[in-house]
Amino acid sequence: MNDVRSVNGTQSVSSVMASTPNQTISSFQCPITFDFDPTNITHLPASVVPTWISVIAVNVVTSPLTVLINLLVIWTVVENEQLKSNSYYLLVAILSLSDLLVGLVIQPLFIALIICVINQCTYVCELIMAYTLSALLCYGWTAVTMVIVSLERYFFIEHPLYYQTSVTPKKLMIASAASWALVGISRIFIRFLMNESFWVRQLPGILLFGPSFVIIVFCVSKVHLTARRQMRAIVAQQQSVAMKQSKIKEYKRTFTLGLIVLASVACLCPLLVLKIVGAVKGNFNDDIRYTSQAIYFTILHLQSIINPIIYSLRLSDIRTGVAKRLQCNRQ
């Protein structure tokens, strides 16, 4: 499955079942391909099927949890007028929506795909295409939303006057909707139009995730340094307790964004290591070739449950709202 992109917009995930551009694609005829024939797995290494079953189990357990916790975060923001009118929390809800889709759509498709390969189903190609295109959309949406969140924090911290006069929840909603539509249309069409060579297929991802990565890293680094400096100044200033708490809460939101970016990098590390080793070493042995992609895509899926956990732990408004709704459900 070529050309599936990462969570949080920092790196493309190319060749789902092809670790390097030098590997030979099988003769299995499908617009989006494996590097082995999924209709013939009679000679798999002994460790492959147990690994696939373990990956299925992890996704089966985490998929409903991902849907639940992201739904609680969205519910908390949408139901609370104060949070819904706050630009930052509105973007958190939008980011949670893309994470919710991972648990609701991508993980079930991934589970079905692995089961289908193990049981030699006849509709493997359809599942490959459905999973890949869904992942392209969701991870592309996550990337552009992360860019918008980073820019929102950048303008809030670095240009507060411009932020107060020009940045509104309505404008952010329009920007998010427009970017989601643009990513959705361009990614799907470009993916089918660029299926000749490995490096040509990487071009759409480079064009989207390259600038996104630069913008996110620049904004997060800049606002993190500024926020820490301003927090130290607030402690030394003679201000009311309420004002100090309000500013500190805003800086916590900024630091939360930094944690989300770090979580994204951590989830991408297995993929990056495999890509680098594959580029240097060439073809992997069969055990790694058949199992590595399933493992690191599962790690990418897990980021969609890590993100709302970070929100809930770091943001008191989200934490209180999620806890309140869990208590209501128990009653």
Side-chain angles (χ1 to χ4, degrees), residues 62-72 99-100 102-105:
T62 58
S63 176
L65 294 176
T66 300
V67 172
L68 174 62
I69 191 168
N70 280 289
L71 189 60
L72 289 172
D99 286 332
L100 183 147
V102 171
L104 188 65
V105 178

Side-chain angles (χ1 to χ4, degrees), residues 201-261:
R201 289 196 301 268
Q202 309 318 302
L203 185 59
I206 293 171
L207 294 177
L208 173 64
F209 291 102
S212 297
F213 178 79
V214 172
I215 293 171
I216 291 170
V217 170
F218 171 78
C219 291
V220 170
S221 303
K222 183 71 173 175
V223 300
H224 185 82
L225 294 174
T226 303
R228 285 210 172 274
R229 185 173 62 251
Q230 292 181 357
M231 278 192 71
R232 289 194 293 267
I234 289 172
V235 174
Q237 291 173 356
Q238 297 296 325
Q239 294 181 340
S240 65
V241 175
M243 185 176 294
K244 285 185 178 181
Q245 289 179 343
S246 176
K247 290 184 177 180
I248 289 174
K249 183 179 288 188
E250 287 291 346
Y251 295 141
K252 279 187 176 181
R253 296 171 187 172
T254 300
F255 298 145
T256 300
L257 174 62
L259 290 176
I260 296 295
V261 173

Side-chain angles (χ1 to χ4, degrees), residues 58-284:
V58 171
N59 282 274
V60 166
V61 172
T62 58
S63 176
L65 294 176
T66 300
V67 172
L68 174 62
I69 191 168
N70 280 289
L71 189 60
L72 289 172
V73 171
I74 296 170
W75 186 10
T76 298
V77 174
V78 172
E79 193 180 59
N80 189 311
E81 288 297 330
Q82 184 178 358
L83 296 183
K84 189 166 60 174
S85 62
N86 183 286
S87 298
Y88 177 80
Y89 282 113
L90 180 63
L91 291 174
V92 166
I94 294 173
L95 193 57
S96 292
L97 176 60
S98 64
D99 286 332
L100 183 147
L101 291 174
V102 171
L104 188 65
V105 178
I106 292 180
Q107 285 185 279
L109 284 173
F110 182 76
I111 294 166
L113 174 58
I114 300 300
I115 292 175
C116 188
V117 172
I118 293 174
N119 291 288
Q120 295 291 273
C121 301
T122 58
Y123 45 88
V124 173
C125 180
E126 289 79 0
L127 284 173
I128 293 173
M129 293 179 64
Y131 172 77
T132 305
L133 295 179
S134 299
L136 283 171
L137 288 175
C138 286
Y139 293 135
W141 290 337
T142 298
V144 295
T145 305
M146 282 291 294
V147 170
I148 296 173
V149 176
S150 301
L151 290 171
E152 188 271 344
R153 286 291 89 188
Y154 174 80
F155 286 118
F156 179 85
I157 298 295
E158 300 293 336
H159 304 283
L161 294 178
Y162 175 82
Y163 182 91
Q164 292 174 7
T165 58
S166 301
V167 179
T168 64
K170 183 178 180 180
K171 289 181 180 179
L172 291 175
M173 281 287 291
I174 294 172
S176 299
S179 61
W180 279 41
L182 181 62
V183 167
I185 295 171
S186 62
R187 297 282 286 162
I188 291 177
F189 279 100
I190 292 175
R191 177 61 192 86
F192 280 108
L193 290 173
M194 307 180 74
N195 200 33
E196 282 80 20
S197 69
F198 177 88
W199 294 112
V200 171
R201 289 196 301 268
Q202 309 318 302
L203 185 59
I206 293 171
L207 294 177
L208 173 64
F209 291 102
S212 297
F213 178 79
V214 172
I215 293 171
I216 291 170
V217 170
F218 171 78
C219 291
V220 170
S221 303
K222 183 71 173 175
V223 300
H224 185 82
L225 294 174
T226 303
R228 285 210 172 274
R229 185 173 62 251
Q230 292 181 357
M231 278 192 71
R232 289 194 293 267
I234 289 172
V235 174
Q237 291 173 356
Q238 297 296 325
Q239 294 181 340
S240 65
V241 175
M243 185 176 294
K244 285 185 178 181
Q245 289 179 343
S246 176
K247 290 184 177 180
I248 289 174
K249 183 179 288 188
E250 287 291 346
Y251 295 141
K252 279 187 176 181
R253 296 171 187 172
T254 300
F255 298 145
T256 300
L257 174 62
L259 290 176
I260 296 295
V261 173
L262 288 176
S264 301
V265 173
C267 290
L268 281 169
C269 278
L271 169 63
L272 296 176
V273 170
L274 282 170
K275 290 297 181 182
I276 293 171
V277 172
V280 174
K281 183 180 177 181
N283 292 352
F284 291 110

